[in-house]
Amino acid sequence: MNQADSDIITTLLGNGGYRQASSEEEAGIILLNTCAVRENAVERIAHYLQHLKGVKKRYPDLLVGLSGCIPQYRRETLFDDFPLLDFLAGPDTYRALPSLIAEAASGCRRVSRLDFDTSETYVGVEPSRSATLSAFVPVMRGCNNMCAFCVVPFTRGRERSHPTEAVLNEVRALSESGCREITLLGQNVNSYRDPAAGTDFSRLLDAVSREVPGIRIRFTTSHPKDMSCSLAETMAARPNICNHIHLPVQSGSTRMLGRMNRGHTIEEYRDRIGMIRNMIPGISFSTDLIAGFCGETEDDHRKTLELMRDIRFDSAFMFYYSVRPGTPAARTMHDDVSEDVKKRRLQEIIDLQNSISSELFGEAVGTVVEVLAETESRRSSLQLMGRTETNRVVVFDRGRHSPGDLVRVKITGSSSATLRGEALPDY
Ligand code: SAM
Ligand code: SF4
């Protein structure tokens, strides 16, 4: 979502007469577009601002600004904590950036625009993407859920969906520019509703897949409580929708899901995965997991490991819980799992996921998969890197193929993160 927002910001600044600098030294303005979802994202920005203090000493006219979730969230203290900052804009006020910069350049100090605007979707602002084989297309902004640990509802505001027609125009334009894979993007795409017709995400997904039948379609993120049967039916029916779902579960314990306010039980989660696997054989699942949320016991943690063994996710984003001030958990619960225990549980989760991924990837050796080649591999120009429909990374001997080709690849080896193979000549 940050990448997609940065592309919008680049367009808005371009329209305002600014152009991208090639280095820190060349830049007259440095703008950091930020994420606040975990404490370490915030710490990284703080480190970078520390570094910019030195740069600003050398170039006193340099303007430094923050946009996105951190300013929205820490508006009261940011200017005092980081006196080098000149301007701030939130996720709904990127359009104000050219005028904020102009004000700061004219000598006004500490200028900001941080109001929420529930009508702002940036529809019509064509994101500035360099010619790309794979692109993110936001279909909604904001989130109406209130997961106890999560800051997103407080930084990005209420949910609002883009009109279906606007999404279709964007994917058509991407297809015409040579794009081969599109990921529809939202905090909870399952609660998408077309603003005029009220149609749901499965209808949007169906329409997109028909609009650009030669392009692979992915989507993220799905919330398990809203993951519908009709969405799985659409996936099963449309050949260009990839057989992969990112379905964050956060914890394997129903008790913890209740504390997190996720709105479903573990049994419901398991049933949903079972239902989808029946409808779409061979589909892969990935997930998000949080270790050490408030009140998590060893028994809750054991249930998470148990769930992972049963479901066998292809991959997972794994984090330990960090308190986000202002969230329901920060206001009403104790962060009572010690850092050592959080880190130990997280390591157990990571180790287990690595071994599950290794097993699953090992089982793929000897099979033939279809890969969309994305780039040359980092190690050798004789190899390409791409992904299977199920979102597995494959590095393969390229033969006569180039990025952008759909290639049949025979899998010859694997690790916990990558498959290796060779392009079959007859494709
Ligand atoms: N909307 C998506 C959903 O509901 O699954 C997730 C969006 S959130 C930006 C991405 C992931 O960050 C979450 O799924 C969760 O695992 C993790 N996360 C969010 N808040 C966190 C926190 N306070 N501490 C640790 N991880 C957190
Ligand atoms: Fe955060 Fe929950 Fe919304 Fe996801 S669904 S963005 S975790 S509040």
Side-chain angles (χ1 to χ4, degrees):
M1 196 58 96
N2 269 54
Q3 180 60 58
D5 274 12
S6 297
D7 292 341
I8 288 169
I9 290 172
T10 306
T11 298
L12 291 169
L13 289 178
N15 295 345
Y18 297 95
R19 66 174 177 83
Q20 247 175 309
S22 57
S23 68
E24 230 171 46
E25 282 68 31
E26 194 210 343
I29 303 157
I30 295 183
L31 171 61
L32 310 180
N33 188 35
T34 62
C35 168
V37 82
R38 282 173 294 279
E39 185 57 29
N40 78 344
V42 179
E43 280 163 7
R44 269 163 46 201
I45 291 293
H47 266 104
Y48 192 61
L49 287 174
Q50 201 57 31
H51 155 77
L52 286 183
K53 254 165 89 177
V55 182
K56 200 160 173 162
K57 263 198 191 117
R58 276 183 280 133
Y59 304 98
D61 291 339
L62 177 72
L63 296 177
V64 178
L66 291 191
S67 59
C69 288
I70 292 181
Q72 194 66 48
Y73 179 49
R74 296 214 169 160
R75 54 173 79 197
E76 284 86 13
T77 54
L78 267 181
F79 281 128
D80 289 337
D81 292 347
F82 302 100
L84 86 162
L85 285 173
D86 297 293
F87 62 96
L88 306 176
D92 288 346
T93 53
Y94 299 145
R95 286 180 203 269
L97 276 166
S99 60
L100 284 169
I101 292 171
E103 278 180 58
S106 72
C108 298
R109 297 241 39 236
R110 300 183 160 198
V111 287
S112 63
R113 277 290 300 280
L114 293 162
D115 12 285
F116 282 118
D117 177 355
T118 47
S119 65
E120 182 57 277
T121 54
Y122 300 106
V123 164
V125 180
E126 201 174 305
S128 142
R129 305 181 180 100
S130 38
T132 174
L133 288 173
S134 108
F136 291 121
V137 172
V139 301
M140 59 191 298
R141 297 181 72 81
C143 183
N144 285 357
N145 291 312
M146 271 287 165
C147 301
F149 50 79
C150 184
V151 77
V152 169
F154 304 92
T155 60
R156 303 187 76 90
R158 309 280 300 162
E159 244 167 47
R160 60 219 96 139
S161 297
H162 296 202
T164 301
E165 207 43 49
V167 176
L168 295 181
N169 289 342
E170 196 168 344
V171 299
R172 208 179 306 118
L174 280 164
S175 160
E176 284 160 8
S177 74
C179 182
R180 303 297 314 276
E181 181 178 83
I182 283 170
T183 304
L184 304 180
L185 209 57
Q187 292 300 341
N188 178 11
V189 290
N190 307 92
S191 52
Y192 174 87
R193 287 285 174 277
D194 177 83
T199 43
D200 69 5
F201 183 64
S202 56
R203 292 282 292 278
L204 176 75
L205 191 60
D206 184 66
V208 167
S209 78
R210 288 173 195 278
E211 187 69 32
V212 286
I215 290 190
R216 278 184 171 185
I217 309 297
R218 301 184 185 279
F219 57 91
T220 197
T221 297
S222 291
H223 194 302
K225 78 176 165 54
D226 302 320
M227 177 75 215
S228 66
C229 202
S230 65
L231 180 59
E233 278 165 6
T234 303
M235 293 180 75
R238 298 290 313 151
N240 60 329
I241 302 175
C242 290
N243 286 344
H244 165 249
I245 302 181
H246 186 63
L247 201 61
V249 66
Q250 316 298 355
S251 167
S253 154
T254 293
R255 194 182 77 85
M256 292 311 292
L257 294 180
R259 288 176 68 75
M260 291 173 168
N261 194 29
R262 290 288 287 177
H264 64 90
T265 64
I266 272 304
E267 290 67 37
E268 285 162 346
Y269 186 86
R270 286 174 186 269
D271 285 352
R272 215 140 289 186
I273 295 239
M275 179 263 295
I276 299 167
R277 279 184 167 153
N278 278 335
M279 292 172 76
I280 312 171
I283 191 163
S284 72
F285 289 93
S286 55
T287 199
D288 292 350
L289 292 161
I290 299 180
F293 182 63
C294 312
E296 187 188 71
T297 63
E298 285 303 320
D299 189 49
D300 295 315
H301 172 59
R302 192 184 49 71
K303 287 182 171 141
T304 297
L305 300 175
E306 200 176 286
L307 180 84
M308 293 170 69
R309 279 190 208 99
D310 291 348
I311 303 285
R312 299 181 88 209
F313 297 105
D314 245 53
S315 63
F317 294 108
M318 300 159 280
F319 318 101
Y320 65 80
Y321 172 61
S322 59
V323 184
R324 313 311 300 124
T327 55
R331 284 187 273 113
T332 62
M333 297 178 196
H334 291 301
D335 180 24
D336 55 359
V337 180
S338 72
E339 190 156 325
D340 284 352
V341 171
K342 281 181 187 170
K343 287 189 172 162
R344 193 254 302 152
R345 288 181 189 164
L346 176 62
Q347 196 53 54
E348 287 173 10
I349 288 173
I350 292 172
D351 291 345
L352 177 58
Q353 184 56 48
N354 284 344
S355 82
I356 291 169
S357 298
S358 293
E359 275 170 30
L360 288 171
F361 283 29
E363 286 165 17
V365 174
T367 62
V368 173
V369 294
E370 192 177 64
V371 177
L372 174 62
E374 291 173 20
T375 56
E376 283 185 355
S377 115
R378 260 177 286 165
R379 294 222 179 116
S380 160
S381 59
L382 298 176
Q383 291 186 319
L384 295 176
M385 190 284 286
R387 274 164 216 274
T388 64
E389 206 193 325
T390 54
N391 211 30
R392 294 177 174 180
V393 173
V394 184
V395 175
F396 61 96
D397 297 338
R398 67 190 294 171
R400 288 178 291 104
H401 293 286
S402 310
D405 290 351
L406 262 186
V407 187
R408 260 186 352 133
V409 175
K410 170 113 194 261
I411 300 303
T412 54
S414 70
S415 70
S416 65
T418 317
L419 294 171
R420 289 185 304 282
E422 55 202 33
L424 291 180
D426 60 325
Y427 208 63

